[in-house]
Amino acid sequence: MHASSIRGALAQVFQIPLRPTLRNAAGQISTGITTTTTSSFSTSASRAAKKGRGAKPDQRITLIRYFLYHPTTLTPRPLRFSRNRYLRHWTIHRAWNLYRAKVKQARQLELERQYNAMHAANEELRVGAGDGGKLFRKAQMKTGVWSIPERGGGVPIEYARGLVEWMGSTGGLGSSGTGLGAKAKIWDSEWTRS
Amino acid sequence: MAESHLSLRLARTWRSFVKPSICNRCLQTRRTLASQASAPQGQRDAELEEASSLGGAPDAGSGSPVRDFDPLKVPRSRKRQLVPSRYQFRSPKYYRGPLHPHQPPPPSDPASREFVPGPFSTPRLEQTYHNIIAPDFMTMCYQHTPPGFRAPQKGARLRPWIGDSPYFRNRPLRGPRGGDVLRLLRKPITFRNIPMIERVTVHSFVKGALSGGSGYIHVAGMALQAITNHRVMTHEARTNEANWGIIKGKTVSMTVDLKGEDMYHFLGKLINVVLPRIKDWNGVRATTGDNSGNLTFGLDPESVATFPEIETNYDAYPGKMIPGLHITIHTTATCDKDARLLLQQVGIPFYGKVVD
Amino acid sequence: MAPSRAPSALLLHSLRSLAIEKPSTALAIRAFTSASSTCQEVQAERPSFYRNPDPETVYQPRLERKLARAGRPPIGSRRRRMALSQSPRIPFEQLPYQCFQEARKVLVEDREEKLRKIETERARVARVREADPGAFRGGEPFKQKKLASMEAELERLKILADINDPSVKRRFEDGKGDMNKPIYRYLAERKWREYPRKVLVQRITQMNVVPDVVPNVDPIVDVKIAFGKKAVGSGDFVPSDVSEKPCQLTLQAFDRGEKMVTIAVVDPDVPNVETDSFDSRCHYLASNITISPTKPLVDLSKLSPGSQVLLPWLPPHAQKGSPYHRLSIVILQHKDNIPIDFEPAKQKVERDGFTLRSFMSRHLLTPISASLFRTRWDESTAAVMERAGLEGANVELKRKKVEPLPYKRRNPSSFR
Amino acid sequence: MAPRSRGAKRIADALGFSTPKNHVCLSCRQSLALTRPQRGYASAATAKATVEAPPITQLSPDGPEASPVPQPIFTIKAGVVLSRPPLITPDPHPFETAYYLYQRRLNERLVLPFTQYFYYKRGTPAFEQWRTKRQARGGAATRDIGKYNAYTDEAWNDEVLEGDETGAPSKIVEQLIADEGRAEEFTGTGDPKFAGLKRRTEADEKNDQRSLERSLSRTLYLLVKNKKVAGQSQDESDFWKFPSGTIIGHEGLKQAAQRILFSSLGENMNTFFVGNHPVGHYVARFASPRPGPPPQMTTETSKASDSALLKQEVAQQPDQHPSLVNGEKTFFMKARIMAGQPSLAASQDQDIEDFRWLSKDEIEKAVHPDYWVKVKNMLATQ
Amino acid sequence: MASALRPVLRPTHLASLPTSTSTTTYICQSCRHARLLRRPKRPYTFTQLVTLSDGSAFTIRTTSPVPVYRSTRDTRNSPLWNPTSKELLNVEDDEAGRLAGFRARFGTGFDTAKEARKEAEMESDNISNTPASPTAANAEAAKEPTFEDEQNMFEEDDMNLLDLISSFGQENTQQETQSPQPKKGGKK
């Protein structure tokens, strides 16, 4: 069904002009909502829908259709910058690309250092340990690295705690909460191996 | 072969790290060079831009005009409007090929119609990956090859046709033994190819659309848009399937491809808030995965309703129309076990039989 | 503010024609956008402003005309001058916007790092240059190759040092980039390759200049043709009276150093009635011309006949009824920029049946660019041919009527 | 044969180690010979290992290489690099915050308008509250861009001036919490403006280096100081080290590291050992050969010699007293701590005097310079 | 050379949900007709502070206008994500808060005696072995506001009786405010 016919039906359902500006559209909508709730809802579109499925069409669906479709007709125009503003934006854009490149390179170097240290250690273990590489062979075994904690390998789920940005001073349920949600816990020092 | 090249290069870089062999000839030149470089600071290079704004020349004292600079003061104080501008360049609405005189500006240009403002925040999951997950993944999957070690030659994967029949000569090669599915090769993990999460595809097949009209599609589209901060892309049925009631050309499913910042925010929200709320859920089946590093798991409509975005105005969505989802996480790993290990580090629990 | 943004080619010409000159006083008191007076000062010196209005901030039409007559045309558009006269003239790089200043800090730090790299690279090049070839395994050729690659790296670093600078970008877009500097050459080449070069390559390939006149050409020099004041796009029709006089070429090279070039104007569509095909004829040939990025203009009429012009300009003409003639202009670079010896070449070359390929092979020339314009019979061609003393103005070529084959009824029985 | 271990076995076969009588096959001998000349770094002759249990006397695997020079004897030790990963995100770079605010304001001018009626029904108190707050923000629906409205004719002025705080993460969180209004419930001992949220804890204030709640955005490494042993020189013992101990019996590096860690620093640490192989190593050669660690099971006297540089090669015959040792090689295993604290009281062999959790730049100040040079590459800067 | 060989991988975009017929398909070959440069349609997004159940918080970009999202059930208090933590072991899996509601109305009198006693002694021995480690963190945990401990101080059956009486009195209001909120979030 062609887009404009849907818009037409919707516009008719909500008694709003086809080219609404934002301000009066919001106003229209509010009146639209209130009117639909009070007056009987007997326009041709809904009668067709009703005949199709018998039940009164769910008003929320029409609202969702409106909120999905309406903003796309009010998409803001592309930006038009003045000469100075354009040069400032260009400078910021170039600096951001440069900054991302530097951060990426720093991370790469960090990983390379760790990799080279690990390579040197394993090489020393293979050659310099003096037990004919027995310790090296035992160290190179990858048993269980790719399995899952349930089967005794992989990565324990508590390891994947992830970074947050802030630590709280009371639990998530606030000071009034009981049980676990009450105490804020940054580091579980009282953990004991049961 | 690849491993040997890699190990040779690694050996060289490693050796240059551990014992940078600088012969004395370079040493003393480096010393003279340092002194030389500082000397001719005065003589500016004719080839470079003298009046460069980045010249770092100390700004001439932030005089009064700069400190109390207020961009709105002058436009508000104007009594009459400026003369209308005669500049008419508009970004063209259609792209008519590379030789058309009216060319569209590149998408990174703010005046372009396709300009999308850049990232708005550094997602916490991205920082978790770079600070914690990448080094540990590299450590876990490190396979030591001594310097100068050449891996034993592996046979070619595509087998030639061997036989006396004359037709075998230029015939295209056969598939590998046991089926002709050529799986991705798994290169040893080094600091250059640590797998990372590349993109996330959220897919939802809207069964109600087949019988119940476009209401189901719109509600599912609104729900997906609320969850993923992206508008959905709908797909029409390609063929007619009578027993499933699929009609050609009717919209049946919708997907959202998440990359970059939106992807990290979606995953962070999914892992931290939504997955723990699924009733008696013991993780993702460990047999998931398509042997190329992409893992998929599904969410039923009840758990989709526990997303914070849908929970806030849950009554605005007709109850039965909230869709179930398939979430596919594409990683740059080339086999399932690496992808699963990466997702365990990110925080997704797995259970059941393990398939590599 | 007059909103203008990265201008397309058209606008660039309009900007260039405005001939904006930078206050070139030694002490660069203010960068391009700022003149000294703020609003209050303008009022204070109101009486003097009427007498000598500042071309940057005058916006009354009467004063503008006064300035234009005085030979100092106002700069930029009236809207921009009106806005500038009221705004506090803060230099562009000191505008106190937070994100802009943070970005500048990142760029300033990066530029210093690039300057340090340039210093070390230049010292290394100096060291290699003075080292004797014996020290290298490959001897002299290896040393030259190493020097060439290090020079290219040095050039790249110089470009990287200035690529992120907004004032460089502004100066280039205003058309005031000094082509001696690698950054402006790089920006000019990038702009040329984005669009104008594609058009030039399309015209050459579409009108088959490449196979007919030149075996292959990968343009690295921008060619613009102009007859007197009128600029001619590549592949346009030029009326014969306009093309009677030699044209002016702008050969814009983008890499460092000078080039010794030869310019050939060849017309491959001279109709040859006997063989019912076309011959080629050379309309103009000149060599030992040096072009450089800063001196691109070559006026074919002003080249010295004694040492450069091998064949003087023959006005292009097409006989009535013949298809249009393609006057292809080919720019050929001499090998290692060595000039060719003029006299023997002048004897040997002749105008009719001129083949550019043999000329190229004889003098070791490589084509670096090509362009063309087209000429056809129009009302002034007869006068031009008569003035140039060329016959055939009264002849009109007509297509020979091709008789259709006689109709012979086919033998129906054989069909069954 | 699980594919994974087959990979390791293939490596081992190729290196010719696993063949029963240690015979090195031809192809591997070339590849090993190839490695021989370039490897100036590792000591030319492989050392004889004085592993505690039956000391392996026969020569190292490169049989044919039996070099005449007597090889120095090293004790092989397993060290543990126990680290707590960062808990909060690092502090953002000023350019990053400014850039994000700039892009959010550009987004305000380009994004589809906010459909407020989908979330707030008209006429309900929630909608009234939302509308008043929105007008207080100058009409922008989102709270992270300060007072800015993209639909007025002054929308062009979306860049903030220098010294403006609207983009800072703390300011945004403050704005969000003020908008929510339930701050006092969650403040507890913290700052009511942030509803108790904080990035610096009391451990940061007191710089308590034994607590794991300090510098939450950095990786903290566990370092220990051993008690003073009579034979040690003065300055050697007051430097901090990673916990380490000699390998006992046929245990692998990982089991040894776990045993050392839990025996010396108590059981109550939920740790995860990343990989079975070492991530770094430290070779310490003693100035003069010292009696090797007595072969009883649990002793763990770690003697880090003051690592006289590799100047004097031990010339005289080392073999009169078999347990004389020329140095020690410590191989560090990487481990992550997820919960719990080391407790000195619970450790069996009470020879550790103190432990500290230090980040990378604090380690540099607390560790012996040579130790630092060998160890710094495997540590994470953030 | 001249034809527009620029490979354009533009997936079909949804101008608006009621699928408009003019969908642009994937174009990889040279394209003669003009291609519409479609404006990107992106929903409005906010910055939202998500507070987890142990108090830690982080900001995300989301389409919901709620300023702060306080989650009561997430990885920090889910047994699947913290298998070894002590507190989570004895917290019953009271999903929809129905048990809490029942207790608010009728007190803990109806809990089976065995389960209540196990809970109490778990609390006591938990306290006993922590003072052994002198670290500051533990000491600070001990003097923390110990609201659970007060309940343990009473005798076991006195506690039920007292609980029945006291909880019935003033806690109702607080339960009301707390209980409807999770219920709304629960499934319809």
Side-chain angles (χ1 to χ4, degrees), chain B residues 20-35:
Chain B
S21 57
I22 310 171
C23 59
N24 35 36
R25 199 166 67 80
C26 308
L27 263 186
Q28 29 92 350
T29 49
R30 208 167 266 185
R31 228 169 282 113
T32 55
L33 184 113
S35 57

Side-chain angles (χ1 to χ4, degrees), chain D residues 48-103:
Chain D
K48 237 202 304 288
T50 55
V51 181
E52 282 338 290
I56 307 167
T57 49
Q58 87 273 26
L59 283 180
S60 65
D62 317 324
E65 285 292 323
S67 62
V69 171
Q71 294 140 349
I73 308 156
F74 288 89
T75 51
I76 306 300
K77 303 183 67 172
V80 182
V81 177
L82 185 60
S83 65
R84 181 215 71 186
L87 299 180
I88 57 176
T89 53
D91 302 333
H93 190 277
F95 177 46
E96 242 176 67
T97 23
Y99 182 83
Y100 290 146
L101 175 68
Y102 176 79
Q103 291 293 333

Side-chain angles (χ1 to χ4, degrees), chain C residues 318-332:
Chain C
Q319 290 180 321
K320 189 172 173 62
S322 73
Y324 61 79
H325 287 233
R326 296 167 292 162
L327 270 298
S328 39
I329 300 172
V330 183
I331 318 292
L332 308 130

Side-chain angles (χ1 to χ4, degrees), chain E residues 106-121:
Chain E
F106 305 106
T108 55
F110 294 91
D111 295 354
T112 50
K114 172 172 61 43
E115 188 202 80
R117 197 173 314 103
K118 179 168 65 57
E119 221 173 74
E121 48 88 13

Side-chain angles (χ1 to χ4, degrees), chain E residues 78-150:
Chain E
S78 151
L80 184 62
W81 270 265
N82 316 90
T84 61
S85 84
K86 298 292 172 297
E87 298 86 0
L88 282 180
L89 281 186
N90 48 34
V91 169
E92 321 99 337
D93 201 348
D94 168 10
E95 194 60 40
R98 304 199 61 78
L99 208 56
F102 175 85
R103 280 232 183 86
R105 200 163 301 107
F106 305 106
T108 55
F110 294 91
D111 295 354
T112 50
K114 172 172 61 43
E115 188 202 80
R117 197 173 314 103
K118 179 168 65 57
E119 221 173 74
E121 48 88 13
M122 276 288 283
E123 289 301 327
S124 55
D125 69 49
N126 189 335
I127 306 294
S128 64
N129 63 24
T130 44
S133 55
T135 52
N138 289 24
E140 174 254 325
K143 65 172 173 32
E144 209 191 344
T146 53
F147 4 84
E148 284 99 343
D149 299 354
E150 286 125 21

